[in-house]
Amino acid sequence: MSPLARILQALLFLSSEPVPADELAAATETEAPDVLGALAELGAALDGHGLVLRELAGGWALASDPDAEEPARRLLARPRTPALTPAQSETLAVVAYLQPVSRPEIARIRGVASDSAASTLLDRGLVEEAGRSPFGAILYRTTPLFLKLFGLRAVEDLPDVGQWDPSPEEEGALRDRLLAAGAARAGAAPEAQPAAP
Amino acid sequence: MSPLARILQALLFLSSEPVPADELAAATETEAPDVLGALAELGAALDGHGLVLRELAGGWALASDPDAEEPARRLLARPRTPALTPAQSETLAVVAYLQPVSRPEIARIRGVASDSAASTLLDRGLVEEAGRSPFGAILYRTTPLFLKLFGLRAVEDLPDVGQWDPSPEEEGALRDRLLAAGAARAGAAPEAQPAAP
Amino acid sequence: MSSVHRLELDLDVFAGPFDLLLSLVLREELDLLEVDLADVVLAYVDHLERLGELDLEATTEFLVLMAALLELKSRLMLPGEEVEELDELVPAEAADELLARLLAYARYRGAAAHLREAFEDGRPFLWREAPVPGELRRVELDRAEAVYDPATLAGAVGGLLRRPAPLDLRHMRTPPVTVAQRLAVLRGLLRRGRFSFDEAVAGGDRMTVCVTLYALLELYKRGEAGWEQPEPFGEITVAA
């Protein structure tokens, strides 16, 4: 490994948070392109090692290899972070894609008040406050920790949300099932008696 | 590197303290001789890397290469004055203008618990504890570092709120008005009781 | 047994009413006609109660949505020709609104599933948690320079002084039509003998129609009047 790659490995080992390339360049008194080259070298050199180099949350960080997860939890007695509940992941999805967004907006989209899920996400450090709406409601946005835990470099790296929109066919099917599915069977189904007004 | 050496590297990376060989053996569900063999392998594999394997009094540890000391000092000792988040600004503003002020009062004014923002402000040395209220709640005030980072000679030099006051015609002390506005935003009737000193 | 048991609905797995509705509507083997919506409503309310505190807002929202679904279902249960007739009478707006909200919700349900997966993918990576020494977390007083603007603090206080605009209740004026007034009108007409409901509300607005119907129910309860309607949406004849 080049001297720069070695020093970068040491710096990332010492930093508890992802470090942007320009801060690494300033600390090593080099230029960002040199840093990026040396990081590529470091990433290759870590092949076969127990550490991995990851670019996320606007910077670079070292993490332990996933194979070490079980032994590490035994050694450090660190419990596995609980999975996200459906309500939490929905609330987080709305915040991630619409940030900054207020609780009433989240509730309107989800069709249900989301205060408990939002509080849990705040406690877990995945979302944070982002000022207030013109009506005084607190707005929420995602945090760097969110990016780190979800393996994202930036919020812009989130996949296009439009891909989960129902296709025109699915939308049609949904409409049909809501409005017309029963009508086609009307008369055949035993329930289909004229209803008393 | 053997799978065991890779996992040991990950375990030592994650531990902030030296780990005895028998604990490493227990975590990896192997025997101490296997661990010692794999540690020798790891030490050799780290040749030319930015990390070194060291056997210390309490066990085994990874450390950064001594060559990285100067860059590390530059990276970690850089001025720690990240921009204040909206939650931190609001919390700091309440402390600055009302000091001394208790955490419950801050929460009533802001409409949300502000523990995380207050902890960060404490951690960064912008606010400090200032005794306890008659009800036992911890009080906060700003620090000399706060004045310096905001370019103020004294707390009395804080700008007049008038320019930003949405209803300058209202009478009453700033503390009472803030508490009343917080209650109004929370949807509760403004509390008539005087604020705790 | 109730269809909820047949459906084996585990309400804990649903993230909210939209989630539940989408699941019900999209369930392949399920026809809306066969879902006992009353059971779903009861199960949902039970579920909310089991949570310890009854979230009135969530329950209300859920009941509104269920009402929309119920309306749709009742339309489906009518024979074909009456559906067409109903189409003119019952605008599909409520259904369209429900559909639009379900579609908007579906996008975030998909995004949520993606995020849950990304979270699972990220979980095996562990991070070193060696804290930076406290003295490195804050600036030394001697070296501190003015980097923050005091105006941000004054601005924050200004924002906290803002009160929400008082609710505009002017549109909630007292109804200009009272039950007492309509009772008087109905009793006046009754003295003449029979009359039709249309006659009683001729020229009146929706509020008048509503209050008159309420007054009529009041008369029925007291035994002062009865009425008949030979067919749905036909004329209502009121008689003493």
Side-chain angles (χ1 to χ4, degrees):
Chain A
M1 261 204 272
S2 68
L4 182 55
R6 290 176 51 213
I7 290 176
L8 291 178
Q9 185 183 23
L11 292 181
L12 295 182
F13 172 77
L14 291 170
S15 301
S16 50
E17 295 303 323
V19 189
D22 57 348
E23 289 189 23
L24 290 172
T28 52
E29 297 181 325
T30 53
E31 302 300 322
D34 302 332
V35 164
L36 292 176
L39 285 169
E41 191 193 341
L42 172 60
L46 287 176
D47 190 38
H49 277 238
L51 306 180
V52 288
L53 178 66
R54 305 195 76 196
E55 185 187 4
L56 29 69
W60 296 81
L62 289 176
S64 63
D65 187 281
D67 288 347
E69 189 194 356
E70 275 313 308
R73 294 199 189 284
R74 277 196 291 271
L75 177 68
L76 304 171
R78 230 189 257 175
R80 222 166 183 240
T81 45
L84 295 174
T85 67
Q88 287 162 9
S89 56
E90 271 187 27
T91 305
L92 187 59
V94 175
V95 174
Y97 280 96
L98 298 183
Q99 55 187 312
V101 64
S102 70
R103 277 192 203 197
E105 280 178 278
I106 301 169
R108 194 181 55 76
I109 290 168
R110 295 196 53 232
V112 61
S114 308
D115 293 352
S116 145
S119 299
T120 306
L121 294 173
L122 278 165
D123 287 346
R124 292 176 75 164
L126 295 173
V127 306
E128 64 183 3
E129 294 179 26
R132 290 180 188 263
S133 78
F135 308 105
I138 293 175
L139 298 169
Y140 295 97
R141 67 180 173 213
T142 55
T143 61
L145 180 63
F146 161 76
L147 297 175
K148 190 171 160 185
L149 295 184
F150 287 73
L152 294 163
R153 278 178 302 183
V155 170
E156 291 70 34
D157 274 6
L158 282 167
D160 177 26
V161 74
Q163 66 180 282
W164 292 294
D165 282 341
S167 66
E169 294 75 35
E170 288 168 326
E171 185 182 330
L174 191 60
R175 182 186 294 274
D176 287 349
R177 287 190 78 81
L178 262 180
L179 298 176
R185 297 160 114 233
E191 296 99 321
Q193 294 154 358
Chain B
M1 262 203 271
S2 67
L4 181 56
R6 289 177 53 213
I7 289 177
L8 291 177
Q9 185 184 21
L11 293 182
L12 296 181
F13 166 77
L14 293 170
S15 304
S16 46
E17 300 295 327
V19 190
D22 58 345
E23 286 187 26
L24 291 172
T28 53
E29 295 178 331
T30 54
E31 301 302 323
D34 302 330
V35 165
L36 293 175
L39 284 171
E41 191 192 344
L42 171 61
L46 286 176
D47 190 38
H49 276 239
L51 305 179
V52 289
L53 178 67
R54 309 180 71 178
E55 188 181 5
L56 303 163
W60 296 80
L62 285 178
S64 58
D65 188 314
D67 288 349
E69 195 184 328
E70 265 313 298
R73 205 179 296 281
R74 280 194 289 270
L75 179 69
L76 298 174
R78 68 188 186 275
R80 299 245 151 201
T81 49
L84 297 173
T85 67
Q88 289 160 5
S89 294
E90 279 190 9
T91 306
L92 186 57
V94 173
V95 175
Y97 280 90
L98 301 187
Q99 56 189 310
V101 64
S102 68
R103 246 183 226 213
E105 275 182 299
I106 300 171
R108 278 168 62 194
I109 290 169
R110 298 199 57 235
V112 285
S114 309
D115 296 353
S116 150
S119 300
T120 306
L121 295 173
L122 278 164
D123 208 42
R124 296 217 192 121
L126 289 165
V127 304
E128 63 187 6
E129 293 184 13
R132 290 187 179 259
S133 79
F135 308 105
I138 296 172
L139 297 170
Y140 295 102
R141 66 178 171 220
T142 55
T143 61
L145 180 61
F146 161 81
L147 293 176
K148 212 154 174 208
L149 290 177
F150 277 85
L152 299 165
R153 274 173 310 173
V155 171
E156 291 68 37
D157 286 353
L158 278 167
D160 186 55
V161 176
Q163 189 188 335
W164 290 274
D165 192 342
S167 44
E169 70 287 352
E170 257 182 58
E171 310 236 330
L174 187 59
R175 174 183 240 100
D176 297 337
R177 292 186 54 208
L178 281 170
L179 285 167
R185 277 193 303 273
E191 285 163 69
Q193 69 199 32
Chain C
M1 205 34 229
S2 78
S3 50
V4 174
H5 284 269
R6 279 213 315 275
L7 289 168
E8 288 175 9
L9 275 182
D10 177 2
L11 290 167
D12 283 320
V13 310
F14 292 103
F18 283 144
D19 201 15
L20 176 60
L21 287 188
L22 263 184
S23 305
L24 285 176
V25 173
L26 292 178
R27 205 176 272 240
E28 281 305 319
E29 75 276 19
L30 187 76
D31 192 297
L32 200 50
L33 280 174
E34 287 156 11
V35 187
D36 196 336
L37 292 176
D39 283 346
V40 177
V41 171
L42 287 176
Y44 195 79
V45 173
D46 279 351
H47 165 72
L48 289 172
E49 270 174 347
R50 266 201 310 280
L51 291 180
E53 55 191 299
L54 184 58
D55 185 340
L56 276 182
E57 212 168 312
T59 312
T60 310
E61 184 87 27
F62 178 78
L63 290 176
V64 167
L65 289 165
M66 273 296 164
L69 203 61
L70 208 55
E71 186 208 315
L72 291 171
K73 183 175 172 180
S74 56
R75 293 178 59 204
L76 301 184
M77 291 173 76
L78 290 168
E81 62 271 25
E82 288 195 31
V83 169
E84 273 180 30
E85 187 184 323
L86 261 181
D87 266 341
E88 295 172 6
L89 295 164
V90 183
E93 282 157 23
D96 282 344
E97 162 79 10
L98 180 64
L99 184 67
R101 289 188 66 182
L102 276 179
L103 292 174
Y105 164 76
R107 124 191 304 218
Y108 294 100
R109 183 161 90 148
H114 169 78
L115 284 182
R116 264 204 306 283
E117 224 168 87
F119 184 72
E120 291 305 314
D121 290 347
R123 271 214 284 185
F125 292 97
L126 301 179
W127 310 88
R128 195 173 147 82
E129 286 178 8
V132 177
E135 65 271 17
L136 289 182
R137 284 203 294 271
R138 62 178 70 162
V139 197
E140 289 167 53
L141 187 56
D142 308 343
R143 289 216 234 153
E145 288 169 25
V147 289
Y148 297 131
D149 181 2
T152 55
L153 298 181
V157 169
L160 287 170
L161 283 172
R162 204 178 306 140
R163 290 164 185 253
L167 285 180
D168 185 355
L169 297 175
R170 277 174 301 176
H171 62 284
M172 296 193 61
R173 60 208 149 116
T174 352
V177 192
T178 65
V179 177
Q181 285 168 7
R182 299 316 295 173
L183 274 175
V185 170
L186 290 178
R187 286 184 176 128
L189 289 169
L190 270 179
R191 265 179 240 120
R192 282 174 15 205
R194 312 168 70 80
F195 65 92
S196 81
F197 186 75
D198 285 344
E199 208 180 317
V201 296
D205 58 5
R206 280 161 73 103
M207 179 65 79
T208 309
V209 175
C210 291
V211 179
T212 307
L213 187 66
Y214 189 83
L216 189 56
L217 289 168
E218 193 64 29
L219 286 181
Y220 176 77
K221 191 178 83 183
R222 299 182 190 185
E224 290 183 45
W227 70 86
E228 55 184 18
Q229 183 181 27
E231 55 179 353
F233 304 103
E235 196 172 73
I236 300 172
T237 308
V238 184

